[in-house]
Amino acid sequence: MADAVEMTLARLLGEVIQDILARLPPRTIVHCLAVCKAWRSVVSTPTFHRAHAHRPAAVVKVTSELAYLLHGCNAGVLSASGEPCRKALLLDTFRGRWYRGNVHTTPPSPRGIAFSSPWRPGHHVSPWVVGFWDGVVCVDVEYGSWFFSLPNDAGTQRERKFVFWNPLTRACATVSAPPGDRGRCHGVIIGAYAHPATMRFHLLHATGEAAATQNVACSSRPPSGSGESEETAPGARMQAARSVSLHGNLHWMVQRSSGSTGRLNVLVFDTARERFRLMEAPPWDSRGENKDLARSRIVVLSGGKLCAVAVAPATSTMEMWVLDDDSSDARAWRLVERISLVMWDKRDLSKTFSSATQVAAVQGDVEGEEVILHNDGHIDAYSLRRRAWSMASISRFSPLLVHRESVVQHDVSFGEASRRLQPIVDVNGRRLYLL
């Protein structure tokens, strides 16, 4: 009897500790991993991570700059080995605004990753952010150099890698580019996820010529390359890597037939079963308004609702539809607002809205729920509470990523391919991590 009481008390205590830890900020949870084995065990369970995944997401702006590293080994600063100039990606989180005062003097971001290959004439490192999934940022990196074999014979050597990095836990893994199809170009990564049962990080990549806009065969595999499985997506055009994560599923807006008037659907990937299915898009066509893939997006609101937005240049407006349940029935979509895209400075975002325009939703510190548009070099925020636009930043070449911090331990995320990055400091005082 006493043993049963002790076991019940221990179980209840564990549930209380898990509930308390799940309410803490992610950075505090990482520090809790070092308190004791019991806390580390609680934080390491898939149940804890599934509960923590429902926290509101943030929007991160990514910029690429040259970082000039300091020399020495004091205070955790690493030596730059005589090559202080390196390419770096800087991450800046949206907290209602990215700037203080003048939008042209944005303060430097304190977080970022610097690439170990130094920049010098004849060599280059070209990083491009593919996406941000389950706390892990995916970076497509091309290393290149010019070489001369004869006096008039010049060429280029290129090597392409994918880097996966968790900025919170400093976990990192580097893998080769996905294989192509029939000797053609490399495959395209269209999504990634932490498997709900194992928390192992998996990639979804598509193969085939112009895989971003064709019928795709998708493989799911960890960055270590083991345990690969293949699932074919329904024939559709999709915007590669523009997936959003909600309730353990990945979602894309897709177009089922050729041409700009093909019917839109939402492609859903169930990460637990690793299967695709199609879901009806909002009933735009029933109202006589043809929506195309370039002007439609899927976002997730902070309340955990799937939201579809579509731009109508004829009326200079953007419609917001919310899915009330996970049904495949188009009647489950509800029109919540039609937003004018004519800005206070007379810019009409509907005229320049294209496949390159980025749309995200975030819970701001002051304005509450906001919809972010990165369009034609401007980043504008629409407050759903005030029903008004305001400029958030000016940044032509900075992609926006929706990000939820993850406290999954590095050895769980990437297995044997995992390594932890070391901190460095550049001359501007930014805390970076050296790849």
Side-chain angles (χ1 to χ4, degrees), residues 245-366:
S245 178
L246 179 65
H247 304 322
N249 296 329
L250 294 174
H251 304 77
W252 298 262
M253 186 70 77
V254 299
Q255 202 160 20
R256 289 302 310 277
S257 60
S258 61
S260 60
T261 60
R263 183 168 181 78
L264 296 182
N265 290 93
V266 178
L267 180 64
V268 183
F269 181 76
D270 186 327
T271 60
R273 300 176 180 176
E274 297 186 325
R275 291 290 184 269
F276 285 100
R277 65 182 175 89
L278 281 171
M279 185 170 61
E280 292 287 337
W284 291 312
D285 296 335
S286 63
R287 302 169 61 241
E289 300 176 3
N290 291 326
K291 306 297 182 183
D292 61 11
L293 189 61
R295 293 188 174 90
S296 304
R297 300 288 187 275
I298 287 288
V299 297
V300 175
L301 301 181
S302 60
K305 291 284 189 179
L306 196 65
C307 175
V309 299
V311 171
T315 58
S316 299
T317 59
M318 179 175 70
E319 293 183 357
M320 288 186 61
W321 293 72
V322 171
L323 186 66
D324 288 326
D325 55 39
D326 199 24
S327 170
S328 60
D329 191 347
R331 291 174 294 181
W333 290 94
R334 173 172 51 90
L335 177 64
V336 294
E337 191 166 352
R338 185 175 288 107
I339 304 169
S340 173
L341 292 181
V342 179
M343 302 291 102
W344 57 272
D345 56 359
K346 307 302 182 183
R347 287 181 294 122
D348 187 347
L349 301 187
S350 68
K351 306 303 181 186
T352 55
F353 198 100
S354 66
S355 59
T357 301
Q358 294 179 282
V359 183
V362 66
Q363 184 72 24
D365 289 345
V366 179

Side-chain angles (χ1 to χ4, degrees), residues 26-27 49-60 93 111 131-137 165-169 194 201 243-251 299-306 361-363 369 401-408:
R27 294 183 179 278
H49 292 294
R50 284 195 294 269
H52 199 259
H54 294 296
R55 299 176 66 93
V59 173
V60 173
T93 304
R111 294 198 299 167
F132 222 143
W133 298 284
D134 286 338
V136 176
V137 59
W165 174 50
N166 185 328
L168 185 63
T169 64
F201 197 71
S243 62
V244 298
S245 178
L246 179 65
H247 304 322
N249 296 329
L250 294 174
H251 304 77
V299 297
V300 175
L301 301 181
S302 60
K305 291 284 189 179
L306 196 65
V362 66
Q363 184 72 24
E369 187 89 39
L401 303 173
V402 178
H403 168 47
R404 281 185 176 87
E405 292 183 313
S406 171
V407 296
V408 178

Side-chain angles (χ1 to χ4, degrees), residues 39-54:
W39 286 22
R40 187 181 181 89
S41 177
V42 168
V43 174
S44 302
T45 60
T47 304
F48 179 87
H49 292 294
R50 284 195 294 269
H52 199 259
H54 294 296

Side-chain angles (χ1 to χ4, degrees), residues 27 60-67 69 78 86-93 107-116 127 129 132 137 139 163-172 401 403 405 420-426 429-435:
R27 294 183 179 278
V60 173
K61 180 176 66 174
V62 183
T63 56
S64 177
E65 297 183 12
L66 289 178
L69 309 186
L78 301 181
R86 301 172 190 268
K87 183 63 72 69
L89 288 179
L90 308 178
L91 309 182
D92 200 359
T93 304
S109 170
R111 294 198 299 167
I113 183 172
F115 295 89
S116 57
V129 176
F132 222 143
V137 59
V139 186
V163 175
F164 300 92
W165 174 50
N166 185 328
L168 185 63
T169 64
R170 292 161 40 193
C172 178
L401 303 173
H403 168 47
E405 292 183 313
R420 288 173 62 87
L421 301 185
Q422 297 300 316
I424 57 176
V425 177
D426 75 348
R430 297 175 296 202
R431 186 177 180 85
L432 309 176
Y433 293 94
L434 182 63
L435 178 65

Side-chain angles (χ1 to χ4, degrees), residues 365-383:
D365 289 345
V366 179
E367 297 289 348
E369 187 89 39
E370 293 185 89
V371 178
I372 312 295
L373 261 69
H374 188 185
N375 187 57
D376 197 29
H378 295 265
I379 301 177
D380 298 283
Y382 179 80
S383 172

